Amino acid sequence: MTVRVDVAPSVLSWALDVTGADEEGLHRRFKLDKWLAAEARPTLKQLQDFAKAAGVPFGYLLLPQPPAWSLPVPDFREGFETVPTPSANLIAVIGQSQRRQEWYRDYALALGVEPLAFVGSAAELPPLEAAAEIRSALDFQVSDRHGTWADTRKALLRGFETLGGLTVATSMVENNTRRSLDENEFRGFALVDDIAPLVFVNTHQTLNGQIFTLAHEFAHVWRGTSGIGNEDTRSDGQSDIERWCNAVASEVLVPRDDLADRHARVASAPLVQALDTLAHDFRCGTLVVLQALHRTGVRRIENYAAAYDAEVVRLRDLSEARESGGGDHYNNQPFRVGERLSRALIADALEGRTPITEAMRLMSMKSASTFDEYARRLGAA
DNA sequence: GGTACAATCCTCCACGGGAG
DNA sequence: CTCCCGTGGAGGATTGTACC
């Protein structure tokens, strides 16, 4: 006998609302119209498959009404008429990040790690001074910016990890390429903690965007306020906290004094050319430079809004022809999981304190041989 | 034009996970 | 089982630049 399950249509609608999966595909695979109209009931297996495909925890589908789920961190996202329901993917990556953070916090406390002094240390400082502290702590001076933009992102991530923080840079839930994160929903978040501050960057955005997001999330940590954001350089931010964090991020990437010096060389060049040159100097996006020129008054920009729009269009055209290369799981993992957390998990598991299965789960790993090889590659075995 | 070096481009790798 | 997707870094190849 086949077990059929009662599903509240409102709960199904909710699931479709929060899913990151292709809704048409779900309609093709499942008899959603009939379920929604209560003309048919799914079997247990069908509903389980649907939960998996939609990326929604199965248990929620059995509730009589949609769950009131909300972000467990302050929501600083802007540009919405009404605050949208967080997607299942976003809830999933926040939950996963919190589990990793909790584990690492316990681990670090057991090792006798002292609270990190920089967390919340800049809360009372004006953006210029806060940015100077962050640059200095991360060893991210303008004169040190070499190589590609990917190198610059790496320098930011590694700088923060060296200070004792955790980083996660990924574009999907776990290693599931079918649950990719929506860059329009959020660009990153910071989970502030004085032992295990965690910074998450959604890598489903340009490298320039990721670099700005990282600087912004660092600002959150130095201010001591957790938060999730979809910030871009266009708006100054609607809340005081976002305004402050954006100003700090901008100043971290493009320090006022350096900007004045370097802009002198291209002061007479057309704006677009000056933006390219300066973005290369600072290893950030042209939009960040444009915003900084405007903010500091280093260059007089006739119509800022129009210039910004024009640059957005130019960048969009440039990015048309982008392709993605291959990858190596063992190279990718330190970015997706974070190197500090990886090393800690491996070390603790090999010493028998954390079960290997638990370490593998926290690192989204499937086989023991992958764990061994990863440990070997990291030089942690 | 030739040289040296730097910057950038290109290609290739291994794994996890879903679809069919 | 086979296909596809997503992905950072290593290292060689190519292009750019500064100087003679």
Side-chain angles (χ1 to χ4, degrees), chain A residues 177 321-329 332 336:
Chain A
T177 55
R322 278 192 58 227
E323 87 300 335
S324 73
D328 182 318
H329 181 75
N332 298 336
R336 289 185 183 166

Side-chain angles (χ1 to χ4, degrees), chain A residues 55-339:
Chain A
V56 176
F58 175 67
Y60 283 119
L61 296 180
L62 303 177
L63 296 171
Q65 55 206 345
W69 84 359
S70 58
L71 294 173
V73 287
D75 189 356
F76 291 112
R77 296 174 299 154
E78 295 171 350
F80 303 114
E81 296 275 320
T82 55
V83 179
T85 310
S87 73
N89 289 349
L90 174 52
I91 293 282
V93 291
I94 293 179
Q96 182 197 43
S97 298
Q98 288 177 320
R99 285 191 295 277
R100 288 174 173 173
Q101 180 179 46
E102 274 170 37
W103 182 88
Y104 185 81
R105 185 181 159 82
D106 288 346
Y107 167 84
L109 284 173
L111 284 184
V113 169
E114 296 288 320
L116 303 171
F118 65 88
V119 177
S121 66
E124 308 294 328
L125 296 181
L128 239 66
E129 290 172 37
E133 294 220 346
I134 293 175
R135 268 199 314 275
S136 143
L138 293 173
D139 223 356
F140 189 63
Q141 305 301 347
V142 177
S143 54
D144 297 329
R145 296 181 197 175
H146 308 292
T148 65
W149 274 253
D151 293 334
T152 301
R153 176 187 56 176
K154 185 176 175 181
L156 287 170
L157 290 165
R158 294 290 165 265
F160 188 65
E161 292 225 323
T162 302
L163 288 176
L166 304 177
T167 61
V168 178
T170 185
S171 65
M172 55 199 156
V173 179
E174 304 278 340
N175 287 316
N176 190 340
T177 55
R178 309 222 167 218
R179 295 188 66 184
S180 67
L181 305 176
D182 179 2
E183 71 164 311
N184 295 314
E185 185 180 24
F186 78 106
R187 308 223 304 178
F189 57 81
L191 303 177
V192 172
D193 181 276
D194 59 358
I195 299 286
L198 185 148
V199 159
F200 185 108
V201 54
N202 178 356
T203 57
H204 251 171
Q205 52 175 325
T206 61
L207 271 174
N208 285 330
Q210 294 174 45
I211 287 168
F212 186 80
T213 298
L214 277 170
H216 177 95
E217 304 309 336
F218 292 156
H220 270 285
V221 173
W222 261 261
R223 190 186 168 103
T225 54
S226 293
I228 177 161
N230 60 347
E231 67 282 334
D232 63 39
T233 44
R234 176 190 294 272
S235 87
D236 280 340
Q238 281 158 19
S239 71
D240 287 347
I241 292 179
E242 283 302 274
R243 263 196 297 278
W244 187 88
C245 289
N246 278 345
V248 171
S250 173
E251 181 69 23
V252 164
L253 297 174
V254 184
R256 182 172 300 232
D257 294 343
D258 295 272
L259 180 62
D261 288 349
R262 289 174 189 254
H263 179 260
R265 290 173 307 141
V266 287
S268 56
L271 180 61
V272 169
Q273 191 188 323
L275 291 180
D276 272 337
T277 304
L278 292 170
H280 186 268
D281 280 357
F282 294 110
R283 294 295 195 278
C284 67
T286 48
L287 291 173
V288 181
V289 174
L290 178 62
Q291 190 269 343
L293 287 172
H294 179 61
R295 173 177 57 90
T296 58
V298 164
R299 183 182 182 120
R300 171 119 197 89
I301 291 160
E302 293 304 328
N303 186 339
Y304 175 62
Y308 195 101
D309 289 339
E311 184 61 15
V312 168
V313 169
R314 189 179 75 96
L315 292 176
R316 190 188 306 140
D317 294 344
L318 282 179
S319 68
E320 293 288 309
R322 278 192 58 227
E323 87 300 335
S324 73
D328 182 318
H329 181 75
Y330 297 108
N331 288 335
N332 298 336
Q333 207 67 359
F335 283 83
R336 289 185 183 166
V337 178
E339 189 171 334

Side-chain angles (χ1 to χ4, degrees), chain A residues 36-53:
Chain A
L36 282 163
E39 288 169 10
R41 295 156 67 205
T43 66
L44 188 61
K45 180 85 171 84
Q46 284 168 351
L47 193 62
Q48 284 171 336
D49 289 346
F50 171 74
K52 195 169 180 185

